[in-house]
Amino acid sequence: MLAGGDRESVGAGFTDSGDTPDQLSGEISLYGSVTASYSFLHELLRRFRIAYPVIEIKLRTGDPEHAIAHVLDGKEDLSIAAQPANLPRGLAFKPIATSPLLFIAPLEQQVPNAPTSTPITPAEWANTPMILSESGVSRTRVDEWFRQHDISPRIYAQVTGNEAIVSMVSLGFGIGVVPKIVLDNSPLLDRIRVLDVTPELEPYDIGLFTLKKNLKNPLVDAFWSLM
């Protein structure tokens, strides 16, 4: 697995004017988080390589909050991310899965004032250190949850990347909010607990993004249609 911002190639791309539709060749680029690579891309890339063995895929991993921007800016042909409330004009979205958003706490208290159980009253929530994403769909959902309960959260840290939230929570710095798919692939799963919070946060849809005009590219359309 590559660190954020790095790339890897899958396949050996070349161009042959005699290609048939099942022998498409060339190169497409794809952006996704490390979590997406573990959760979805392994199977997608396996199927794609079997179907189109001579198409080269340039894969960049990084913060999921940047996934849509990378497509809009033309840096990548496709990306995997959570569906925003409002889809930017000209962008196409194809759902892959739905993930609950979960409140998580440290398994054991290691720092004073970092609870290991679910806060009950608004006052308890307001005094609970929260570790949240800087932006993105999950931040929007949790901010709305606090507004609905008339709570002004005590934000201990705003971080980039869900894996960093899990790490800080496991160390006892506070309560965080992450998608379930992040926990499913986290090596720190045995160091945190999922809190029973009601009402639950609205889950979000995760899927593939590309510009609508990119679907005219037979290579992009081949990946899009394979799902």
Side-chain angles (χ1 to χ4, degrees):
M1 183 58 55
L2 297 180
D6 290 336
R7 284 176 177 256
E8 61 181 336
S9 295
V10 181
F14 60 87
T15 301
D16 183 347
S17 59
D19 287 343
T20 68
D22 290 334
Q23 296 174 327
L24 291 171
S25 64
E27 177 184 300
I28 58 173
S29 57
L30 178 66
Y31 181 96
S33 67
V34 173
T35 297
S37 298
Y38 289 143
S39 304
F40 309 114
L41 282 178
H42 181 272
E43 177 61 18
L44 286 174
L45 294 178
R46 185 190 70 82
R47 290 165 52 197
F48 189 75
R49 188 168 189 182
I50 291 172
Y52 303 98
V54 295
I55 294 180
E56 183 177 340
I57 296 180
K58 296 294 186 180
L59 172 61
R60 184 191 301 272
T61 56
D63 186 345
E65 295 172 13
H66 301 153
I68 292 177
H70 273 252
V71 170
L72 292 174
D73 295 342
K75 295 178 180 178
E76 318 292 345
D77 298 314
L78 305 116
S79 66
I80 292 181
Q83 182 182 21
N86 298 303
L87 202 63
R89 186 175 181 179
L91 196 66
F93 172 76
K94 195 168 191 179
I96 298 174
T98 298
S99 178
L101 281 172
L102 305 174
F103 285 91
I104 60 172
L107 190 64
E108 299 178 354
Q109 190 173 53
Q110 302 178 47
V111 180
N113 301 322
T116 59
S117 58
T118 306
I120 303 300
T121 67
E124 289 177 348
W125 275 108
N127 288 321
T128 297
M130 298 297 303
I131 302 166
L132 303 175
S133 297
E134 283 185 320
S135 59
V137 175
S138 63
R139 181 58 186 268
T140 299
R141 300 271 165 87
V142 73
D143 283 348
E144 179 60 26
W145 189 92
F146 280 121
R147 279 195 295 269
Q148 290 176 355
H149 293 79
D150 197 24
I151 297 170
S152 296
R154 174 188 164 197
I155 300 177
Y156 177 83
Q158 301 182 77
V159 302
T160 299
N162 290 305
E163 292 83 3
I165 295 177
V166 178
S167 178
M168 291 190 70
V169 170
S170 73
L171 292 170
F173 288 109
I175 285 178
V177 174
V178 294
K180 183 178 181 296
I181 61 167
V182 172
L183 295 182
D184 289 342
N185 295 283
S186 175
L188 300 174
L189 180 60
D190 60 349
R191 299 184 185 180
I192 62 94
R193 69 175 73 229
V194 175
L195 299 181
D196 184 13
V197 177
T198 55
E200 297 177 348
L201 292 166
E202 181 185 353
Y204 63 38
D205 293 323
I206 303 161
L208 199 62
F209 292 89
T210 192
L211 294 174
K212 292 179 180 178
K213 65 180 182 180
N214 285 349
L215 293 174
K216 297 178 181 179
N217 180 335
L219 305 183
V220 173
D221 183 63
F223 193 91
W224 188 266
S225 301
L226 190 66
M227 294 173 48

